[in-house]
Each structure stands twice: as C-alpha cells, then as structure tokens.
Amino acid sequence: MGRIGSYIGRGVRSVSGTLNPFGGAVDIIVVRQPDGSLKSTPWYVRFGKIQGVLKARENAVNVSVNGVEAGFRMNLDNRGQAYFLRERDMENVYSLTTRTSEQLATLNLKEGKNVVVFTCSKQQVDARIYLWRWDANIVISDVDGTITRSDVLGQFMPLVGRDWSQTGVAHLLSAIKENGYQLLFLSARSISQAYLTRQFLFNLMQDGKGLPEGPVVTSPDGLFLSLYREVVKRAPQEFKIACLQEIKALFPYDRNPFYAGFGNRDTDEICYLKVEIPEGKIFTINSKGQIVLKRNTDTMSYSCLHGCVNDLFPPMSSVSSLRRLTM
C-alpha cells in the first residue's frame, strides 16, 4: 500500500499545478439526421471554483469551434457550471444544455472531430465535438480496467510515466475504426478528469500504434459525487445507462447505433444489455488481459481478437452490401 500511495502522491503533485480544480468539459456528439437536421448530446461544461470567476460581474462563457467564435454564449452559475439561457424568456434564467439544429448548423462542423473551447474570465476549458451520420455504428469502450490494466492504478500510473495499458488494445480498436465503426470512450470519471482522460487515451502508443479518435464521455458531475457513486455506492451504471440512452435518442427511433461494447465489470455488461447490445458483442476483460465472451470459460486476448477483427467487426462496406441484398 505504501508503494501505491507513493505513486498516487507523485501523480497528484505532477498535475496539480496545471489543472483548474474541478473544471472541465465533456465531449459532445452531434448526429446528422436523414433530413439533414442536427441533434446533439448535452453540453456539460464546468469551471473551477476560483474566487475571481465567481465574483466577476461578467459571467458570460465565450464559445469557439475550430478557432472560430460561435454565434452564441453560455452563462456561468455560482457553482461554476455553464448553461444556455432560454432565449425567449431571459428573465426566468431557465438553464439549457443543448442547442437547436439551426444553432448547431452555424458552427460549420466537419465530419469527425472538431475542437471547442470555452472561455470565462481568465479560465479556459476545451472539449471535442464529433459529427456523426445517423447510420453510424458505435463500439463502446470503458476506460479504467478495460484500456488500463486496473481501475485505480490505471488512473495514476500514466501520470508518473508508467504504461499501465492492456496489451494489444490500441491495435484492436484501431482496426475496428478502420473497418468503419465509430469509437466511444465511456468513463464514470468526473468532468474534472475529462482533460487528463483525453490526454492519456490519445497519447497512448503501443508498438507505434495509438488509439483511434472518438468522443470521451465522462460523468458531468463533480469529483466527489462521481467518486461516491463509483466507490461507495458501486453503481457507475446509473450514469452510464442514462448517458447511453441520451446518445441513442440522437438516432432514428427504429435503429440501434450500438454495435458492441468492451468493459471489465458486471456493471458494464448491465449497461450494454440495457441499450440492447447483443450478448455476443459484449466483451469483458479481466486484470490479466483475458477477454470473456458471453460468460464462456474460454478466454481470448486483445491481440487474438485483432487477428479475427474482420469476422467480429466486418468492414462496413460489406455490411452495407449485405443489407442491400436482404432488402
């Protein structure tokens, strides 16, 4: 335990000078509908509770996307949480977390990743906006214990320069992406850990291969509430199920965008089943890097799955051709 405590202490000290305490932003998913309109997940943005911000007269949060200022702003409440005002009834200060299709269209989003920056006073947080099509097929991956080798040390070892990732995960997920699937990284970590989570995921390299791009969706709650739900209640599925249902609602009602899911706990399986991912597409990995499919006793590894990726995750061109033949 002393050694673990030393790693954790070193990790916290290494980042404490560069972070805005309790600030961050969750990545946003925008889906283009068959009729060309746009729908997005909520815009969750939080600034650190620094005295200078909370006492400032100007509580407007400026928004820019891909370096271009957006035609709208957010406002900041006394908890450091950003929100949109209801434009037709400004006096009631009714908070909103989404934008209309028309407002989203003004952002001129490109397919895939877009960078959004939120600025208030002297503080700045950023996130990514991913523009997907209505017919996207999504593969979900948990982070802690799934991409990392353990739930706890996986959060701290990268901070002190130690690789704590599961062997072969970058090659497998990259191959899945190359076959036409969208990757979604889902974590019960708090919004204040969103920046570090992105940094870890997209700086991870295994034999020259990095993880593919995809939205990093964390809990919109603060650090303590997220830890309470994860550690004390042991119920991360409460957040994850609600989050996945929000994403599913962006797509046409008659199709399920979720194709497969990777996780390391029973709670991950509960989440994936709740959003109707077939049992045969739910992959559970343990701390030894062994993957169990459908609770079988036979195990595989990420490297083994990579060898048969075209069978488990057929290239989307092949899937589209098969659908046309069966229509």
Side-chain angles (χ1 to χ4, degrees), residues 191-228:
I191 191 172
S192 60
Q193 296 171 286
Y195 172 80
L196 283 180
T197 304
R198 282 188 215 101
Q199 288 293 102
F200 160 68
L201 290 173
F202 302 126
N203 285 316
L204 176 64
M205 296 293 292
Q206 294 182 333
D207 298 326
K209 178 70 72 172
L211 288 172
E213 291 182 344
V216 178
V217 180
T218 64
S219 166
D221 298 317
L223 179 62
F224 299 115
L225 181 55
S226 296
L227 283 174
Y228 175 78

Side-chain angles (χ1 to χ4, degrees), residues 63 69-73 87 106-107:
V63 181
E69 188 171 332
F72 51 80
R73 293 179 174 181
E87 296 180 356
T106 65
L107 300 177

Side-chain angles (χ1 to χ4, degrees), residues 1-15 143-145 147-166 189 193 196-197 199-201 203-204:
M1 288 300 293
R3 188 175 182 183
I4 293 175
S6 173
Y7 281 128
I8 292 174
R10 286 166 58 194
V12 171
R13 286 193 297 273
S14 70
V15 299
V143 176
D144 296 312
I147 291 176
T148 66
R149 298 206 305 265
S150 69
D151 285 320
V152 177
L153 289 181
Q155 296 194 43
F156 294 101
M157 288 303 196
L159 300 178
V160 295
R162 295 287 300 274
D163 180 12
W164 214 252
S165 60
Q166 299 276 12
R189 295 183 184 188
Q193 296 171 286
L196 283 180
T197 304
Q199 288 293 102
F200 160 68
L201 290 173
N203 285 316
L204 176 64

Side-chain angles (χ1 to χ4, degrees), residues 263-312:
N264 70 310
R265 292 185 180 182
D266 289 343
T267 53
D268 293 320
E269 182 179 0
I270 291 171
C271 296
Y272 300 154
L273 290 173
K274 192 71 174 179
V275 293
E276 300 178 324
I277 294 178
E279 285 188 3
K281 295 297 183 181
I282 297 175
F283 303 87
T284 303
I285 187 164
N286 60 28
S287 59
K288 297 179 181 179
Q290 300 170 327
I291 297 173
V292 179
L293 182 62
K294 293 178 63 176
R295 298 186 179 275
N296 287 337
T297 55
D298 295 335
T299 60
M300 297 174 284
S301 65
Y302 279 129
S303 298
C304 178
L305 287 181
H306 181 236
C308 54
V309 67
N310 288 339
D311 296 320
L312 293 170

Side-chain angles (χ1 to χ4, degrees), residues 41-67:
T41 52
W43 294 45
Y44 292 119
V45 183
R46 183 184 292 267
F47 287 85
K49 293 185 179 180
I50 295 177
Q51 189 175 15
V53 171
L54 297 183
K55 287 189 174 181
R57 292 181 180 179
E58 181 59 69
N59 68 342
V61 178
N62 293 316
V63 181
S64 66
V65 177
N66 297 329

Side-chain angles (χ1 to χ4, degrees), residues 114-134:
N114 301 264
V115 178
V116 57
V117 178
F118 305 93
T119 307
C120 183
S121 185
K122 296 180 180 180
Q123 287 197 59
Q124 181 174 292
V125 297
D126 63 79
R128 308 293 178 262
I129 302 176
Y130 284 85
L131 176 60
W132 289 345
R133 285 171 45 92
W134 64 271

